Amino acid sequence: MAEPENAAVLRAAAAGDQKAWESIVDRYANLVWSVARSFQLGQSDASDVSQATWLRLVEHIADVRDPDKLGSWLATTARREALALLRRGGRDVPAGAATDFVGILGGVLADDDEELDAGVLRDERDAALWHEFRALSGPCQQLLRVLIADPPPSYAEVSAALDVPVGSIGPTRQRCLGTLRRRLGST
């Protein structure tokens, strides 16, 4: 996701240009968020990681050596912040966030029986997907969570976020998705 104008936008943001800062945040917020969530942090902890990542950028905005790799810098920083939060917390990583279950447990009643049936079927499908997703290995879960960010991160950003070689991302993604497909086919 290297943007040729990153150098100019970073300089403008460092000089206090609010529009430039908003442009950076708009471009990379989903990447930072997906990296935080890839560590299976809850909403609150992921927000803390995201805020800490943006704070690090504010503190080091003039120190970014390669502006075209800003996405990788942010992904690496978010990964480090998430790991630091987990170390400070000294707790287990939860298997899933409470928000994952809101749609399953707190469905809205529909006026139409067909709409209700469709909602129930969708909820059952989603529950099965999340159940099988959580059965994947931790690295598979992390990789898939980062890859589904919108807009999709570059492999360089994924590599920086997860500290894995760029060349292993595609094959690992295929293996993880193949495992998930097989597991879903057997349910």
Side-chain angles (χ1 to χ4, degrees), residues 35-54:
V35 170
R37 291 293 290 186
S38 77
F39 286 87
Q40 297 181 349
L41 299 174
Q43 187 89 10
S44 175
D45 287 341
S47 291
D48 289 347
V49 166
S50 182
Q51 288 176 359
T53 301
W54 292 114

Side-chain angles (χ1 to χ4, degrees), residues 115-128:
E115 194 175 316
L116 181 59
D117 289 345
V120 169
L121 291 174
R122 184 181 59 249
D123 290 347
E124 287 177 2
R125 181 204 63 208
D126 290 352

Side-chain angles (χ1 to χ4, degrees), residues 96-166:
T99 56
D100 293 343
F101 301 102
V102 170
I104 297 166
L105 300 176
V108 177
L109 292 177
D111 294 335
D112 184 8
D113 284 344
E114 288 181 23
E115 194 175 316
L116 181 59
D117 289 345
V120 169
L121 291 174
R122 184 181 59 249
D123 290 347
E124 287 177 2
R125 181 204 63 208
D126 290 352
L129 175 62
W130 280 113
H131 175 76
E132 296 304 333
F133 182 83
R134 286 186 198 97
L136 293 174
S137 68
C140 275
Q141 289 183 40
Q142 276 191 310
L143 178 64
L144 294 176
R145 283 182 187 266
V146 170
L147 287 171
I148 63 170
D150 184 30
S154 69
Y155 273 19
E157 292 165 343
V158 173
S159 172
L162 301 179
D163 198 25
V164 296
V166 170

Side-chain angles (χ1 to χ4, degrees), residues 6-16 61:
N6 273 0
V9 174
L10 276 172
R11 278 193 304 275
I61 199 163

